[in-house]
């Protein structure tokens, strides 16, 4: 594992922990300051503070779509933007491999979120959830590949992102 990949994994874990702590503190503060008889916020709204602006809007997507999702660390909702496979790619049949995020120019691997855990590979197309904007922004082309991650050049390209330099 490269130092860059390790740094991204640790950064994700710290960010998730920070979001969970912030959401938990906000929920506790709301509970302490809410007037008697006040109605609690609807499920899925407290702590869900991701920007409504799509952070992937400047990236050309092929086979992927941006989606706003919710994660519930420590039981508190946290909203975030991610890239997922489009409906056509999800409906295809895949056998004998794993999905992984790969930058062909550098040979580096990105990560995906499997529920709320950063992972290098996933088995099911529905599990392809890319939230690593730093990785995407630091590589002009990133691909979602399917096959053997130990032989990434032989794996099939399922989807890709491209950042066009101006």
């Amino acid at each position: 594992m490269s130092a860059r990949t390790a740094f991204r994994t640790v950064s994700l874990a710290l960010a998730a922990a920070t979001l969970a702590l912030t959401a938990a503190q906000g929920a506790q503060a709301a509970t302490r300051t809410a007037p008697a008889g006040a109605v609690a916020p609807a499920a899925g709204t407290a702590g869900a503070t991701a920007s409504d602006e799509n952070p992937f809007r400047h990236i050309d997507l092929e086979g992927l779509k941006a989606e706003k999702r919710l994660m519930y660390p420590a039981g508190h909702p946290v909203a975030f933007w991610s890239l997922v496979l489009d409906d056509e790619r999800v409906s295809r049949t895949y056998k004998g491999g794993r999905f992984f995020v790969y930058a062909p120019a550098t040979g580096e691997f990105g990560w995906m979120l499997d529920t709320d855990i950063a992972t290098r590979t996933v088995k099911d197309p529905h599990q392809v959830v890319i939230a690593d904007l730093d990785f995407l922004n630091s590589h002009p082309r990133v691909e979602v590949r399917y096959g053997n991650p130990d032989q990434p050049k032989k794996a099939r390209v399922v989807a890709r992102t491209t950042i066009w330099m101006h």
Side-chain angles (χ1 to χ4, degrees), residues 23-44:
Q25 289 173 340
Q28 289 172 350
T31 303
R32 286 192 305 266
T33 60
V39 178

Side-chain angles (χ1 to χ4, degrees), residues 21 26 32 54 79 82 93 96 137 146 165:
L21 181 60
R32 286 192 305 266
N54 175 0
S82 66
T93 301
N137 283 333
Y146 184 78
M165 301 298 155

Side-chain angles (χ1 to χ4, degrees), residues 127-139:
Q127 294 174 301
V128 174
V129 178
I130 306 166
D132 189 355
L133 187 60
D134 290 337
F135 183 76
L136 296 175
N137 283 333
S138 65
H139 297 85

Side-chain angles (χ1 to χ4, degrees), residues 12-82:
L12 173 66
L14 289 173
T18 301
L19 287 171
L21 181 60
T22 302
Q25 289 173 340
Q28 289 172 350
T31 303
R32 286 192 305 266
T33 60
V39 178
T45 59
T49 59
S51 169
D52 285 333
E53 191 172 326
N54 175 0
F56 302 108
R57 67 192 173 288
H58 67 285
I59 300 175
D60 185 25
L61 305 176
E62 180 185 327
L64 295 161
K65 62 183 179 180
E67 197 173 85
K68 194 170 184 181
R69 293 183 158 217
L70 286 174
M71 180 180 358
Y72 293 88
H76 301 285
V78 176
F80 66 98
W81 281 93
S82 66

